[in-house]
Amino acid sequence: MGIFNWGGKGGEDKLQLKKLGLALSGGSARGLAHIGILRALEEASIVPDIISGTSMGALVGVLYAAGLSPNQIKDTVNKEPLLKMVRPAWGQHGLFKVGELRKVLEKHIPKDDFGSLKTPFYVAVSNINKGHKEIISEGSLFDYVLASCAVPVIFAPMVINGTTYIDGALYDNLPADAIRPLCKTLIGIHVNYIGEQKQFTSIIDVAGRTFSLSIGENVRAAMESCDYLIDPPAITDFSLWDYDKADAIIETGYSFTKEWLEQHSSLLSDISNR
């Protein structure tokens, strides 16, 4: 299979189309904005029937698919800061390992299986043995979510059944195509803004911008396949590693989406009428 492996290991359900799908992008710490965005959507009675996620979007997305509310996910982040959930991984092809995140999944998801989730969930991972993306939607859950969060070099990769997987953002930072055929309305939630950025205050800003632009090309077609796109520009006020600013990042996603919803006042009726 080549790099455009759009299928993956989970078979598509040949059932009636879901009304609403959400595709959640990666973005490292910026991905915490998903929590605020989901909260704003819920307050407007906009709740998905199917979800896909990459990287941090996979972590937030799977907790939401398991039935946690946005506020519960926020509490989890605050009680168990993400930077404290990683450990050194010397000699394992990365600086840190994501295994500690498994404890969060085990605590909030009753069974290590996609079928245990309350909302259908699709996760994007990058198979670096064969050099393509895969979309996983059935079978064992936790390892693939952790693999999708394994940012190259920073985190050690996940080896699953002899195959080495890393961050899904490498090939698919906005997994819209994973669920586009399965829902009538698709909202893409992109928290790695690639519009103009006028200034950089540190080498970390430059590195983050470089990473964002390098994966930015793989989201353009995905954005176009969405019926609606939520893409807060103010997210660039935060670096990819600002995990200690979780509350501010979450609020940025929330406030932007509240304004966005005012501009898309017909969204709920559009979803209902499709």
Side-chain angles (χ1 to χ4, degrees):
M1 290 184 285
I3 62 172
F4 296 108
N5 172 34
W6 302 105
K9 292 185 177 179
E12 293 181 359
D13 294 331
K14 295 182 179 179
L15 302 174
Q16 184 176 1
L17 291 180
K18 305 293 186 182
K19 276 199 170 185
L20 175 64
L22 297 183
L24 278 58
S25 80
S28 295
R30 292 172 177 174
L32 296 171
H34 287 305
I35 301 171
I37 293 169
L38 290 172
R39 177 186 161 204
L41 291 175
E42 266 201 3
E43 290 178 353
S45 299
I46 297 170
V47 179
D49 304 296
I50 189 169
I51 302 168
S52 63
T54 289
S55 199
M56 184 57 73
L59 181 60
V60 174
V62 76
L63 292 173
Y64 194 56
L68 273 71
S69 70
N71 283 336
Q72 288 174 318
I73 300 173
K74 178 181 178 180
D75 288 344
T76 297
V77 169
N78 286 332
K79 290 177 182 177
E80 304 173 85
L82 295 177
L83 283 181
K84 294 182 179 180
M85 288 189 270
V86 296
R87 292 181 176 177
W90 310 119
Q92 298 186 41
H93 312 293
L95 297 178
F96 301 97
K97 53 185 177 182
V98 296
E100 287 297 295
L101 291 174
R102 179 184 297 276
K103 295 179 181 179
V104 176
L105 300 180
E106 291 173 343
K107 180 177 179 180
H108 296 288
I109 301 175
K111 188 178 180 181
D112 182 14
D113 192 284
F114 279 87
S116 70
L117 300 174
K118 296 181 179 179
T119 302
F121 180 69
Y122 290 65
V123 61
V125 293
S126 297
N127 178 333
I128 59 172
N129 291 112
K130 295 184 177 180
H132 61 67
K133 82 172 184 180
E134 293 180 13
I135 301 297
I136 314 296
S137 63
E138 60 183 26
S140 297
L141 173 65
F142 298 161
D143 279 349
Y144 286 107
V145 172
L146 296 177
S148 190
C149 294
V151 178
V153 182
I154 303 299
F155 296 109
M158 293 290 296
V159 179
I160 306 171
N161 298 326
T163 298
T164 303
Y165 293 97
I166 63 169
D167 193 345
L170 177 64
Y171 291 118
D172 192 3
N173 199 39
L174 183 64
D177 285 340
I179 58 173
R180 174 69 279 185
L182 306 176
C183 57
K184 295 179 180 179
T185 302
L186 177 59
I187 300 176
I189 304 178
H190 184 252
V191 293
N192 201 37
Y193 188 71
I194 52 177
E196 182 180 2
Q197 188 168 342
K198 295 184 177 180
Q199 62 181 5
F200 307 93
T201 58
S202 69
I203 189 63
I204 293 177
D205 286 349
V206 174
R209 177 65 169 173
T210 301
F211 179 74
S212 296
L213 292 175
S214 68
I215 63 175
E217 287 304 311
N218 76 40
V219 304
R220 296 188 188 279
M223 287 177 171
E224 292 177 2
S225 73
C226 297
D227 298 298
Y228 298 91
L229 180 69
I230 299 175
D231 189 17
I235 204 68
T236 57
D237 291 343
F238 306 95
S239 81
L240 298 174
W241 316 114
D242 277 342
Y243 290 102
D244 59 336
K245 299 179 181 177
D247 285 345
I249 294 172
I250 293 169
E251 180 59 29
T252 296
Y254 176 76
S255 58
F256 176 83
T257 306
K258 293 292 283 186
E259 294 178 5
W260 184 90
L261 286 167
E262 290 179 1
Q263 298 168 10
H264 296 81
S265 57
S266 64
L267 176 59
L268 192 57
S269 62
D270 288 349
I271 294 170
S272 300
N273 294 330
R274 283 184 181 239

